């Protein structure tokens, strides 16, 4: 074969796969979630679901399907009038007000920055272990 590629060269070039570097899962660019940040409030439907789940379990004790509960709750929610939805909407609004108040306090605390009195991510035992390791290294050398 003059000037051409052999069968093995063409076959291997067709089969080779160029892998792109894998992206980190999900939100690698976003900062890590803060466990102290207040959770968003439930909507009126989810407030309704809290009550509905309990009544549905009493009526259908053998049902283990989450999908069945969700479907039944959705159908019931659609059939409710605005007057029947009002207590759930009111609870949801109250939770939203509380959430906004908590978020303002949280954001204010974030702006102030960490206080010196607060402990770091390390537990007290980890800090003590590090101190012991530093002190213990001198003792081991003396034994020889």
């Amino acid at each position: 074969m003059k000037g051409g590629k052999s069968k093995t060269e063409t076959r291997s070039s067709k089969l080779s796969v160029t892998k792109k570097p894998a992206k980190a899962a999900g939100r690698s660019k976003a900062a890590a979630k803060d466990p102290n940040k207040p959770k968003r409030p439930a909507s009126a439907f989810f407030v309704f679901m809290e009550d509905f789940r309990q009544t549905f379990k009493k009526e259908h004790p053998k049902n283990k399907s989450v999908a069945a509960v969700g479907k039944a709750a959705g159908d019931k929610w659609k059939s409710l009038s605005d007057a029947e939805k009002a207590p759930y909407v009111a609870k949801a609004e109250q939770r939203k007000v509380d959430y906004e108040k908590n978020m303002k306090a949280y954001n204010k605390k974030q702006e102030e920055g960490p206080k010196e009195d607060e402990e770091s991510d390390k537990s007290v035992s980890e800090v003590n272990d590090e101190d012991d390791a530093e002190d213990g290294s001198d003792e081991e050398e003396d034994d020889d």
Side-chain angles (χ1 to χ4, degrees), residues 8-53:
T8 55
E9 288 176 355
T10 57
R11 191 178 300 149
S12 65
S13 66
K14 288 180 184 177
L15 296 177
S16 66
V17 177
T18 56
K19 292 186 177 182
K20 295 179 181 177
K23 293 182 179 178
R27 307 173 209 178
S28 61
K29 294 179 183 177
K33 288 187 177 181
D34 185 358
N36 298 325
K37 185 175 182 180
K39 290 188 177 183
R40 293 184 62 188
S43 67
F45 174 71
F46 282 99
V47 174
F48 164 75
M49 281 288 292
E50 292 170 2
D51 292 339
F52 183 81
R53 276 190 207 99

Side-chain angles (χ1 to χ4, degrees), residues 84-95:
E84 293 171 316
K85 290 180 183 179
Y88 302 111
V89 172
K91 280 184 185 178
E93 287 297 321
Q94 181 58 45
R95 289 184 184 185

Side-chain angles (χ1 to χ4, degrees), residues 43-87:
S43 67
F45 174 71
F46 282 99
V47 174
F48 164 75
M49 281 288 292
E50 292 170 2
D51 292 339
F52 183 81
R53 276 190 207 99
Q54 293 173 352
T55 58
F56 191 83
K57 276 187 176 181
K58 289 176 185 172
E59 294 172 9
H60 305 92
K62 293 185 179 182
N63 184 14
K64 303 291 182 190
S65 173
V66 174
V69 177
K71 185 163 178 56
D75 292 341
K76 173 90 174 176
W77 180 255
K78 287 177 187 175
S79 68
L80 292 177
S81 67
D82 288 341
E84 293 171 316
K85 290 180 183 179

Side-chain angles (χ1 to χ4, degrees), residues 54-144:
Q54 293 173 352
T55 58
F56 191 83
K57 276 187 176 181
K58 289 176 185 172
E59 294 172 9
H60 305 92
K62 293 185 179 182
N63 184 14
K64 303 291 182 190
S65 173
V66 174
V69 177
K71 185 163 178 56
D75 292 341
K76 173 90 174 176
W77 180 255
K78 287 177 187 175
S79 68
L80 292 177
S81 67
D82 288 341
E84 293 171 316
K85 290 180 183 179
Y88 302 111
V89 172
K91 280 184 185 178
E93 287 297 321
Q94 181 58 45
R95 289 184 184 185
K96 186 176 180 180
V97 169
D98 293 342
Y99 167 76
E100 289 171 352
K101 183 177 74 172
N102 291 338
M103 276 303 293
K104 283 182 183 177
Y106 171 79
N107 289 334
K108 185 176 180 183
K109 196 174 196 181
Q110 290 298 104
E111 288 173 6
E112 291 174 2
K115 295 180 181 176
E116 292 179 18
D117 296 341
E118 293 180 18
E119 293 186 20
S120 65
D121 292 341
K122 292 184 179 182
S123 67
V124 174
S125 61
E126 288 176 340
V127 171
N128 290 340
D129 291 343
E130 287 179 357
D131 293 342
D132 293 342
E134 290 173 5
D135 294 339
S137 62
D138 293 339
E139 293 173 9
E140 291 176 14
E141 291 174 11
D142 294 340
D143 293 340
D144 287 318

